[in-house]
């Protein structure tokens, strides 16, 4: 009887030990796999056309369109730094639709933006924060999208822009001003045949947003075969089917540049932003999707065929 009574206890004692071994193995994999993927995308295959499309890789004048000062650091730094780092001939530009004056710090934030642009490698003459009365920082107000389109078109022509990066319809954080910017750029590229192509930053769930590199394996899945191809034979051109998405990851150096750029936004550097600069996937990597553009799609197909 004692032997029979002892067996269940022994079995129960074995299960936690086995489970703990598997938990340790899974934990190790959960750390190692994202690190390997980050290294692959940031250092090895990041300049391949199947990962970073030629439209971004070979752009001469790239424009980032955001809503508030510090958006460029909090969300887009892997994209802007990745493009500028891989193509030394590209000129980066930043068009911010407001000075972020919701709390009366607009002038301060505009000054801080200049320091951020310098850290990101964007020249002062292409670092612009607008201060239009109808485009004021307000988390409860949907901005005039026609007005935004006009400013975007003006700077596209002024700076001879051939590629745009901006928010998607979710605005990353859901901010109504971010979403208005996305709607304006989307309408601009869809209705203006002369507009450049535009890529939008993918919005994720809150859980995915704050997993550091933990979300990278899931994000990489649609790019997995392309990464394998890039490892096998590098390419500077890509097939049309691969031209609609992009994946850009920060190297360690570019991550430090991101932190240096955001450090310029001293008025916004609260304790939770310290955590954000570590935990957010958006300071480590970006996945982008191209907006529909009939004229640009046709030009892209022609370029690939030739």
């Amino acid at each position: 009887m004692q032997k029979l009574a002892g067996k269940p206890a022994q079995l129960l004692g074995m299960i936690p030990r086995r489970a703990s071994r598997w938990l340790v193995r899974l934990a190790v994999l959960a750390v190692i796999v994202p690190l390997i993927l980050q290294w692959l995308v940031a250092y090895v295959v990041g300049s391949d056309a199947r990962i970073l499309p030629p439209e971004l890789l070979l752009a001469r004048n790239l424009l980032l369109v955001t809503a508030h000062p510090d958006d460029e650091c909090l969300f887009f730094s892997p994209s802007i730094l990745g493009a500028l780092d891989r193509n030394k001939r590209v000129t980066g530009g930043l068009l911010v639709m407001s000075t972020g004056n919701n709390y009366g710090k607009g002038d301060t934030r505009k000054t801080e933006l200049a320091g951020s642009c310098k850290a990101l490698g964007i020249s002062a003459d292409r670092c612009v924060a607008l201060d239009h009365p109808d485009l004021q920082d307000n988390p409860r107000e949907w901005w005039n999208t026609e007005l935004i389109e006009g400013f975007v078109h003006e700077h596209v022509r002024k700076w001879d822009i051939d590629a745009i990066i901006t928010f998607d319809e979710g605005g990353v954080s859901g901010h109504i001003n971010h979403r208005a910017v996305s709607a304006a750029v989307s309408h601009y590229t869809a209705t203006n045949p002369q507009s450049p192509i535009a890529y939008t930053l993918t919005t994720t769930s809150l859980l995915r947003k704050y997993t550091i590199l933990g979300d990278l394996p899931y994000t990489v899945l649609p790019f997995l075969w392309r990464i394998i191809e890039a490892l096998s034979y590098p390419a500077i051109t890509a097939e049309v089917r691969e031209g609609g998405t992009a994946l850009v990851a920060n190297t360690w150096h570019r991550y430090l540049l991101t932190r240096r750029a955001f450090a310029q936004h001293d008025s916004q550097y609260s304790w939770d932003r310290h955590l954000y600069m570590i935990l957010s996937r958006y300071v480590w990597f970006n996945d982008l999707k191209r907006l529909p553009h009939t004229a640009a799609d046709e030009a892209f197909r022609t370029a690939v065929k030739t």
Side-chain angles (χ1 to χ4, degrees):
M1 292 292 291
Q2 290 180 345
K3 290 182 178 180
L4 290 174
K7 284 184 178 180
Q10 289 175 358
L11 291 173
L12 289 172
M14 292 174 64
I15 292 173
R17 286 197 295 271
R18 290 179 179 177
S20 65
R21 292 193 199 104
W22 279 107
L23 286 174
V24 170
R25 291 168 184 167
L26 289 174
V28 171
L29 285 175
V31 173
I32 291 178
V33 170
L35 286 174
I36 291 174
L37 291 174
Q38 180 80 5
W39 172 74
L40 277 175
V41 177
Y43 293 94
V44 182
V45 300
S47 59
D48 192 281
R50 287 157 294 199
I51 312 300
L52 184 63
E55 299 153 322
L56 297 177
L57 182 64
L58 304 177
R60 293 171 293 110
N61 295 286
L62 180 65
L63 177 64
L64 177 62
V65 182
T66 67
H68 316 108
D70 78 12
D71 288 345
E72 76 287 350
C73 302
L74 295 177
F75 311 120
F76 295 96
S77 70
S79 294
I80 192 70
L81 288 172
L84 295 179
D85 194 31
R86 291 186 173 95
N87 180 5
K88 302 303 181 183
R89 294 175 297 177
V90 67
T91 301
L94 174 61
L95 177 61
V96 187
M97 289 297 151
S98 77
T99 60
N101 195 39
N102 190 35
Y103 295 102
K105 297 181 179 180
D107 291 340
T108 298
R109 296 189 69 181
K110 190 172 182 179
T111 301
E112 293 170 345
L113 180 68
S116 177
C117 282
K118 183 177 180 180
L120 293 173
I122 300 173
S123 61
D125 61 334
R126 293 202 176 187
C127 180
V128 175
L130 304 175
D131 191 17
H132 193 280
D134 293 331
L135 298 175
Q136 293 297 306
D137 181 7
N138 189 334
R140 294 176 298 278
E141 181 180 346
W142 181 266
W143 281 344
N144 184 328
T145 54
E146 291 185 6
L147 189 59
I148 296 172
E149 284 186 61
F151 283 123
V152 171
H153 181 62
E154 175 188 339
H155 287 82
V156 162
R157 296 186 63 182
K158 180 180 178 181
W159 294 340
D160 194 22
I161 298 298
D162 48 14
I164 297 173
I165 297 176
T166 191
F167 296 103
D168 72 355
E169 65 276 6
V172 180
S173 65
H175 197 298
I176 193 171
N177 298 160
H178 297 183
R179 290 160 47 213
V181 169
S182 173
V185 176
S186 297
H187 187 265
Y188 171 62
T189 59
T191 58
N192 189 332
Q194 283 73 47
S195 69
I197 58 95
Y199 278 78
T200 60
L201 182 60
T202 302
T203 298
T204 66
S205 66
L206 191 64
L207 180 61
R208 291 179 60 192
K209 183 177 180 179
Y210 293 107
T211 53
I212 315 178
L213 299 179
D215 188 51
L216 187 54
Y218 179 79
T219 305
V220 158
L221 285 178
F223 297 88
L224 192 56
W225 183 246
R226 294 188 235 173
I227 290 175
I228 294 172
E229 289 181 325
L231 288 170
S232 303
Y233 53 97
I236 59 172
T237 60
E239 295 182 18
V240 175
R241 64 180 175 84
E242 297 172 338
T245 55
L247 181 61
V248 195
N250 263 342
T251 62
W252 180 248
H253 173 66
R254 293 200 291 266
Y255 171 70
L256 293 179
L257 286 178
T258 299
R259 294 190 66 93
R260 184 185 304 171
F262 189 66
Q264 307 305 311
H265 295 282
D266 187 60
S267 66
Q268 306 302 302
Y269 221 122
S270 54
W271 68 269
D272 57 312
R273 294 297 177 83
H274 280 281
L275 290 177
Y276 182 95
M277 296 304 290
I278 299 172
L279 298 178
S280 175
R281 76 196 287 275
Y282 293 103
V283 300
W284 295 101
F285 61 92
N286 287 166
D287 58 314
L288 308 168
K289 184 177 181 179
R290 191 175 63 178
L291 289 172
H293 190 308
T294 303
D297 288 344
E298 185 59 36
F300 181 69
R301 290 187 179 91
T302 303
V304 171
K305 290 178 181 178
T306 56

